Amino acid sequence: MTFPLVDIGLNLSHDSFDHDRASVVDHAVAAGVTRMVITGSTLASTRAAVEIARSDPARYRATAGVHPHHASEFADADVPALRELLLMPEVAAAGECGLDYFRNFSPHADQERVFRLQLQLAVDTGKPVFLHQRDGHDPFVAILRDYLPRLRGAVAHCFTGDERELRDYLDLGLSIGITGWICDERRGLHLRELVRFIPLDRLMIETDAPYLLPRDLRPKPPHRRNEPKYLPHILRTIAGCRGAAPEAVAFATTQNAVAFFGFGAA
Ligand SMILES: [Zn+2]
């Protein structure tokens, strides 16, 4: 049985899809991934995501935001442009935004400034947030707490943290996005335990394509590019870890994503 799935994090405007984007989407739909949320991570990629989303509003939503890697490129003068994007009907969430102290491509002060700014824009525009956090848990939570009561919703996308981080997120009321990181036998093992603690009504699934190709796909794809068609593989892995039927996890995660990102009825 295939149940319609929603990929809540997909970088479909990435240039690695430029030569075959339509067939990537066709393959995803054939695999049951009928709806997709296209991640915006800069102003430019947000505009590209909105343009794709506009082409088929039943299939797509976009997020509008600035990834912490790009925080130092984002000036206060860019705020009106981001606000305008956030108000577009195709844009279902603010982000991805947050802190990434693992790669530190932008200085911490810039990351925190641009994170706060986007949380405020999310409050102002009434959009939920699509969050990214790596190696910055404590400052991330401290900043988020200031805005959470006024936010319409929040999902921690591509959760890869430890049990303490997960407990904190759940206590704060966040939803949790799980990617193919859970399929990684080197660094995803802890997630296989933790994923059982996520209440079914707070769980969503995503590929983060073209990044994070699941490492245990057999046969191994000829290239390393991840695609939304692999979402059912991630779903089955999660279901296996929870000792649940894939259909039950599919039904719940789709329902959660449809409600969070404002898709039409499933
Ligand atoms: Zn991310």
Side-chain angles (χ1 to χ4, degrees):
M1 167 192 172
T2 53
F3 193 90
L5 302 179
V6 185
D7 188 345
I8 68 150
L10 158 66
N11 303 277
L12 191 57
S13 67
H14 192 273
D15 56 16
S16 67
F17 293 123
D18 281 352
H19 65 289
D20 64 347
R21 190 167 286 111
S23 72
V24 166
V25 171
D26 287 347
H27 291 146
V29 173
V33 185
T34 57
R35 280 165 288 199
M36 304 166 211
V37 183
I38 309 166
T39 308
S41 51
T42 60
L43 281 180
S45 70
T46 296
R47 288 193 181 101
V50 168
E51 197 161 315
I52 297 171
R54 193 167 285 164
S55 72
D56 191 347
R59 167 113 41 239
Y60 302 116
R61 291 291 181 275
T63 71
V66 181
H67 191 286
H69 288 346
H70 301 286
S72 56
E73 303 156 24
F74 191 80
D76 289 348
D78 295 322
V79 170
L82 183 55
R83 184 192 306 270
E84 201 173 304
L85 286 162
L86 275 165
L87 287 168
M88 291 183 170
E90 298 84 0
V91 172
E96 62 182 296
C97 60
L99 301 178
D100 194 311
Y101 290 179
F102 177 68
R103 299 223 187 264
N104 284 314
F105 288 155
S106 286
H108 291 187
D110 279 333
Q111 292 193 35
E112 291 174 16
R113 169 182 61 88
V114 174
F115 183 29
R116 282 187 180 280
L117 196 149
Q118 291 182 86
L119 291 169
Q120 186 59 52
L121 283 176
V123 169
D124 294 345
T125 57
K127 302 273 164 125
V129 285
F130 185 80
L131 300 164
H132 172 106
Q133 188 277 119
R134 221 175 148 194
D135 283 5
H137 179 72
D138 291 330
F140 174 86
V141 166
I143 293 170
L144 189 58
R145 268 186 208 286
D146 289 346
Y147 299 86
L148 261 181
R150 291 172 290 147
L151 281 170
R152 230 187 74 193
V155 58
H157 122 87
C158 191
F159 179 81
T160 59
D162 60 17
E163 183 170 352
R164 181 180 74 98
E165 296 186 19
L166 182 62
R167 297 276 182 212
D168 284 352
Y169 286 178
L170 293 176
D171 287 348
L172 289 169
L174 306 195
S175 294
I176 309 291
I178 296 290
T179 60
W181 193 284
I182 196 169
C183 304
D184 187 328
E185 80 289 354
R186 304 163 308 169
R187 51 184 192 173
L189 285 177
H190 70 294
L191 278 184
R192 298 184 194 197
E193 302 289 323
L194 291 182
V195 77
R196 287 182 283 154
F197 301 139
I198 304 171
L200 205 47
D201 63 353
R202 302 256 215 110
L203 180 63
M204 293 190 244
I205 55 176
E206 47 177 333
T207 59
D208 206 24
Y211 312 114
L212 301 181
L213 180 72
R215 283 175 54 86
D216 59 348
L217 289 170
R218 298 292 179 272
K220 269 198 184 308
H223 47 69
R224 292 184 40 80
R225 184 183 73 172
N226 195 7
E227 294 187 26
K229 71 176 176 188
Y230 298 128
L231 192 65
H233 176 81
I234 297 169
L235 169 85
R236 284 191 295 273
T237 304
I238 293 171
C241 295
R242 294 174 68 99
E247 290 81 2
V249 179
F251 181 78
T253 54
T254 293
Q255 210 172 34
N256 297 340
V258 163
F260 190 96
F261 293 101
F263 283 102

